[in-house]
Amino acid sequence: MKAKPFLKWAGGKTQLLPQFEGFYPSILKKRGVKRYVEPFVGSGAVFFNLMSRYHFETAYISDLNEDLILCYKTIKDRLEPLLESLKIFQSQFDSKAQDERAEMFLEVRHQFNEKKKDFDYSTPNEQSVIRASQFIFLNKTCFNGLFRLNSKGGFNVPYGGYESAKILDVGNLRAVSALLQRTEICCADYSECEKGVDDKTFVYLDPPYRPLNKTSSFTAYVGNGFSDVEQRRLA
């Protein structure tokens, strides 16, 4: 089974993958590239697609979203406990009526936000598994699969009200974990990736969009947004 994004994500590129084909360099298709690098990884649609098709020896992915990176690392290093935790979430969610599901969602969201301020992202442990499973649960059951943080860093997306939700996807998570075994995963500014780039590296950058106007803007992936100052620094 080929790995694919395990999260829904605003700006995800799954539907655009066929259109990207004409833009990839020929050396990539000839397998002359040894390393894949992607900051701003998000749900990783391009990362999973290319890593599944081409034989990159190593990869580097990064993002400033601490919970997103924690989730990637947990899938890589602590998959079995994560699957058990997600299995419990799936069972509880499936057994509840719609109003009870909404209550469950709000309770998990509250716990997720309350624990953030004191959470140690640097030390993988049992709490990392719990938080990663909460992250996936919220992503799969919130409105439109949106990940949005308020100015205080709190996850504030409402419940989605779905009839069903695939919280536990064992086959894909196993495929993702296998692929991540040859991937370095970092919570870091995008500029950090440059240290690992050479002439045999394929780099894909998909930063937050510059808002066209006030009503179409969405850059709240990490709480403090991605301002015009950041857009200029990236350029």
Side-chain angles (χ1 to χ4, degrees), residues 54-70:
Y54 302 109
H55 296 284
F56 296 103
E57 294 174 1
T58 61
Y60 171 97
I61 58 174
S62 67
D63 204 285
L64 278 180
N65 186 317
E66 293 176 308
D67 286 298
L68 175 66
I69 293 302
L70 177 73

PDB file of all heavy atoms in Angstrom, residues 54-70:
ATOM      1  N   TYR A  54       9.556   7.346  -6.189  1.00  0.00           N
ATOM      2  CA  TYR A  54      10.971   7.446  -6.520  1.00  0.00           C
ATOM      3  C   TYR A  54      11.823   6.974  -5.352  1.00  0.00           C
ATOM      4  O   TYR A  54      11.429   7.076  -4.198  1.00  0.00           O
ATOM      5  CB  TYR A  54      11.326   8.886  -6.903  1.00  0.00           C
ATOM      6  CG  TYR A  54      10.520   9.399  -8.064  1.00  0.00           C
ATOM      7  CD1 TYR A  54       9.532  10.362  -7.884  1.00  0.00           C
ATOM      8  CD2 TYR A  54      10.719   8.900  -9.348  1.00  0.00           C
ATOM      9  CE1 TYR A  54       8.772  10.822  -8.953  1.00  0.00           C
ATOM     10  CE2 TYR A  54       9.970   9.353 -10.416  1.00  0.00           C
ATOM     11  CZ  TYR A  54       8.989  10.315 -10.217  1.00  0.00           C
ATOM     12  OH  TYR A  54       8.245  10.751 -11.271  1.00  0.00           O
ATOM     13  N   HIS A  55      13.005   6.514  -5.661  1.00  0.00           N
ATOM     14  CA  HIS A  55      13.838   5.883  -4.641  1.00  0.00           C
ATOM     15  C   HIS A  55      14.792   6.891  -4.008  1.00  0.00           C
ATOM     16  O   HIS A  55      16.008   6.783  -4.141  1.00  0.00           O
ATOM     17  CB  HIS A  55      14.607   4.710  -5.253  1.00  0.00           C
ATOM     18  CG  HIS A  55      13.715   3.616  -5.719  1.00  0.00           C
ATOM     19  ND1 HIS A  55      13.121   2.731  -4.848  1.00  0.00           N
ATOM     20  CD2 HIS A  55      13.281   3.271  -6.954  1.00  0.00           C
ATOM     21  CE1 HIS A  55      12.379   1.883  -5.531  1.00  0.00           C
ATOM     22  NE2 HIS A  55      12.460   2.190  -6.812  1.00  0.00           N
ATOM     23  N   PHE A  56      14.229   7.862  -3.302  1.00  0.00           N
ATOM     24  CA  PHE A  56      15.071   8.771  -2.534  1.00  0.00           C
ATOM     25  C   PHE A  56      15.719   7.980  -1.401  1.00  0.00           C
ATOM     26  O   PHE A  56      15.060   7.195  -0.718  1.00  0.00           O
ATOM     27  CB  PHE A  56      14.239   9.905  -1.938  1.00  0.00           C
ATOM     28  CG  PHE A  56      13.607  10.817  -2.952  1.00  0.00           C
ATOM     29  CD1 PHE A  56      12.252  10.715  -3.249  1.00  0.00           C
ATOM     30  CD2 PHE A  56      14.359  11.780  -3.591  1.00  0.00           C
ATOM     31  CE1 PHE A  56      11.663  11.554  -4.173  1.00  0.00           C
ATOM     32  CE2 PHE A  56      13.771  12.629  -4.526  1.00  0.00           C
ATOM     33  CZ  PHE A  56      12.431  12.513  -4.815  1.00  0.00           C
ATOM     34  N   GLU A  57      16.999   8.204  -1.195  1.00  0.00           N
ATOM     35  CA  GLU A  57      17.686   7.495  -0.115  1.00  0.00           C
ATOM     36  C   GLU A  57      17.319   8.077   1.241  1.00  0.00           C
ATOM     37  O   GLU A  57      17.181   7.345   2.230  1.00  0.00           O
ATOM     38  CB  GLU A  57      19.196   7.568  -0.335  1.00  0.00           C
ATOM     39  CG  GLU A  57      19.658   6.816  -1.585  1.00  0.00           C
ATOM     40  CD  GLU A  57      21.131   7.007  -1.865  1.00  0.00           C
ATOM     41  OE1 GLU A  57      21.811   7.718  -1.071  1.00  0.00           O
ATOM     42  OE2 GLU A  57      21.629   6.458  -2.873  1.00  0.00           O
ATOM     43  N   THR A  58      17.182   9.406   1.291  1.00  0.00           N
ATOM     44  CA  THR A  58      16.825  10.081   2.543  1.00  0.00           C
ATOM     45  C   THR A  58      15.853  11.214   2.252  1.00  0.00           C
ATOM     46  O   THR A  58      15.707  11.651   1.100  1.00  0.00           O
ATOM     47  CB  THR A  58      18.067  10.674   3.245  1.00  0.00           C
ATOM     48  OG1 THR A  58      18.679  11.651   2.378  1.00  0.00           O
ATOM     49  CG2 THR A  58      19.073   9.598   3.601  1.00  0.00           C
ATOM     50  N   ALA A  59      15.222  11.696   3.311  1.00  0.00           N
ATOM     51  CA  ALA A  59      14.301  12.830   3.173  1.00  0.00           C
ATOM     52  C   ALA A  59      14.356  13.679   4.431  1.00  0.00           C
ATOM     53  O   ALA A  59      14.752  13.208   5.513  1.00  0.00           O
ATOM     54  CB  ALA A  59      12.883  12.326   2.923  1.00  0.00           C
ATOM     55  N   TYR A  60      13.961  14.926   4.276  1.00  0.00           N
ATOM     56  CA  TYR A  60      13.866  15.865   5.401  1.00  0.00           C
ATOM     57  C   TYR A  60      12.549  16.607   5.261  1.00  0.00           C
ATOM     58  O   TYR A  60      12.255  17.173   4.194  1.00  0.00           O
ATOM     59  CB  TYR A  60      15.045  16.851   5.364  1.00  0.00           C
ATOM     60  CG  TYR A  60      14.937  18.001   6.348  1.00  0.00           C
ATOM     61  CD1 TYR A  60      15.590  17.953   7.581  1.00  0.00           C
ATOM     62  CD2 TYR A  60      14.197  19.141   6.039  1.00  0.00           C
ATOM     63  CE1 TYR A  60      15.505  19.016   8.478  1.00  0.00           C
ATOM     64  CE2 TYR A  60      14.106  20.201   6.935  1.00  0.00           C
ATOM     65  CZ  TYR A  60      14.764  20.139   8.147  1.00  0.00           C
ATOM     66  OH  TYR A  60      14.672  21.187   9.029  1.00  0.00           O
ATOM     67  N   ILE A  61      11.739  16.583   6.319  1.00  0.00           N
ATOM     68  CA  ILE A  61      10.509  17.375   6.324  1.00  0.00           C
ATOM     69  C   ILE A  61      10.471  18.193   7.606  1.00  0.00           C
ATOM     70  O   ILE A  61      10.995  17.772   8.647  1.00  0.00           O
ATOM     71  CB  ILE A  61       9.245  16.496   6.221  1.00  0.00           C
ATOM     72  CG1 ILE A  61       9.179  15.479   7.362  1.00  0.00           C
ATOM     73  CG2 ILE A  61       9.189  15.798   4.861  1.00  0.00           C
ATOM     74  CD1 ILE A  61       7.881  14.670   7.389  1.00  0.00           C
ATOM     75  N   SER A  62       9.850  19.363   7.523  1.00  0.00           N
ATOM     76  CA  SER A  62       9.761  20.209   8.714  1.00  0.00           C
ATOM     77  C   SER A  62       8.519  21.082   8.638  1.00  0.00           C
ATOM     78  O   SER A  62       7.899  21.254   7.581  1.00  0.00           O
ATOM     79  CB  SER A  62      11.010  21.086   8.860  1.00  0.00           C
ATOM     80  OG  SER A  62      11.074  22.051   7.815  1.00  0.00           O
ATOM     81  N   ASP A  63       8.177  21.634   9.781  1.00  0.00           N
ATOM     82  CA  ASP A  63       7.049  22.555   9.906  1.00  0.00           C
ATOM     83  C   ASP A  63       7.196  23.228  11.261  1.00  0.00           C
ATOM     84  O   ASP A  63       7.869  22.700  12.152  1.00  0.00           O
ATOM     85  CB  ASP A  63       5.720  21.784   9.824  1.00  0.00           C
ATOM     86  CG  ASP A  63       4.563  22.666   9.380  1.00  0.00           C
ATOM     87  OD1 ASP A  63       4.078  23.487  10.191  1.00  0.00           O
ATOM     88  OD2 ASP A  63       4.138  22.528   8.219  1.00  0.00           O
ATOM     89  N   LEU A  64       6.567  24.381  11.430  1.00  0.00           N
ATOM     90  CA  LEU A  64       6.605  25.057  12.729  1.00  0.00           C
ATOM     91  C   LEU A  64       5.454  24.634  13.635  1.00  0.00           C
ATOM     92  O   LEU A  64       5.398  25.028  14.793  1.00  0.00           O
ATOM     93  CB  LEU A  64       6.579  26.580  12.544  1.00  0.00           C
ATOM     94  CG  LEU A  64       7.922  27.247  12.229  1.00  0.00           C
ATOM     95  CD1 LEU A  64       7.735  28.752  12.065  1.00  0.00           C
ATOM     96  CD2 LEU A  64       8.948  26.972  13.326  1.00  0.00           C
ATOM     97  N   ASN A  65       4.529  23.861  13.107  1.00  0.00           N
ATOM     98  CA  ASN A  65       3.408  23.371  13.905  1.00  0.00           C
ATOM     99  C   ASN A  65       3.888  22.209  14.778  1.00  0.00           C
ATOM    100  O   ASN A  65       4.134  21.111  14.290  1.00  0.00           O
ATOM    101  CB  ASN A  65       2.272  22.927  12.979  1.00  0.00           C
ATOM    102  CG  ASN A  65       1.017  22.554  13.731  1.00  0.00           C
ATOM    103  OD1 ASN A  65       1.058  21.892  14.755  1.00  0.00           O
ATOM    104  ND2 ASN A  65      -0.116  22.969  13.198  1.00  0.00           N
ATOM    105  N   GLU A  66       4.027  22.460  16.072  1.00  0.00           N
ATOM    106  CA  GLU A  66       4.603  21.469  16.983  1.00  0.00           C
ATOM    107  C   GLU A  66       3.778  20.188  17.044  1.00  0.00           C
ATOM    108  O   GLU A  66       4.324  19.078  17.102  1.00  0.00           O
ATOM    109  CB  GLU A  66       4.729  22.057  18.389  1.00  0.00           C
ATOM    110  CG  GLU A  66       5.750  23.177  18.505  1.00  0.00           C
ATOM    111  CD  GLU A  66       5.780  23.789  19.882  1.00  0.00           C
ATOM    112  OE1 GLU A  66       4.710  24.167  20.383  1.00  0.00           O
ATOM    113  OE2 GLU A  66       6.884  23.890  20.466  1.00  0.00           O
ATOM    114  N   ASP A  67       2.459  20.320  17.037  1.00  0.00           N
ATOM    115  CA  ASP A  67       1.615  19.137  17.139  1.00  0.00           C
ATOM    116  C   ASP A  67       1.627  18.322  15.854  1.00  0.00           C
ATOM    117  O   ASP A  67       1.551  17.088  15.895  1.00  0.00           O
ATOM    118  CB  ASP A  67       0.187  19.547  17.507  1.00  0.00           C
ATOM    119  CG  ASP A  67       0.083  19.955  18.962  1.00  0.00           C
ATOM    120  OD1 ASP A  67       0.350  19.102  19.827  1.00  0.00           O
ATOM    121  OD2 ASP A  67      -0.242  21.119  19.242  1.00  0.00           O
ATOM    122  N   LEU A  68       1.731  18.982  14.725  1.00  0.00           N
ATOM    123  CA  LEU A  68       1.851  18.272  13.455  1.00  0.00           C
ATOM    124  C   LEU A  68       3.126  17.446  13.426  1.00  0.00           C
ATOM    125  O   LEU A  68       3.112  16.255  13.076  1.00  0.00           O
ATOM    126  CB  LEU A  68       1.847  19.275  12.297  1.00  0.00           C
ATOM    127  CG  LEU A  68       2.089  18.696  10.900  1.00  0.00           C
ATOM    128  CD1 LEU A  68       0.929  17.785  10.487  1.00  0.00           C
ATOM    129  CD2 LEU A  68       2.287  19.828   9.882  1.00  0.00           C
ATOM    130  N   ILE A  69       4.242  18.062  13.817  1.00  0.00           N
ATOM    131  CA  ILE A  69       5.526  17.354  13.816  1.00  0.00           C
ATOM    132  C   ILE A  69       5.531  16.239  14.858  1.00  0.00           C
ATOM    133  O   ILE A  69       6.064  15.150  14.610  1.00  0.00           O
ATOM    134  CB  ILE A  69       6.680  18.343  14.053  1.00  0.00           C
ATOM    135  CG1 ILE A  69       6.811  19.295  12.853  1.00  0.00           C
ATOM    136  CG2 ILE A  69       7.990  17.610  14.293  1.00  0.00           C
ATOM    137  CD1 ILE A  69       7.046  18.603  11.517  1.00  0.00           C
ATOM    138  N   LEU A  70       4.926  16.479  16.014  1.00  0.00           N
ATOM    139  CA  LEU A  70       4.812  15.424  17.019  1.00  0.00           C
ATOM    140  C   LEU A  70       4.065  14.224  16.453  1.00  0.00           C
ATOM    141  O   LEU A  70       4.426  13.071  16.699  1.00  0.00           O
ATOM    142  CB  LEU A  70       4.086  15.950  18.257  1.00  0.00           C
ATOM    143  CG  LEU A  70       3.836  14.926  19.358  1.00  0.00           C
ATOM    144  CD1 LEU A  70       5.133  14.598  20.090  1.00  0.00           C
ATOM    145  CD2 LEU A  70       2.781  15.423  20.342  1.00  0.00           C
TER     146      LEU A  70
END
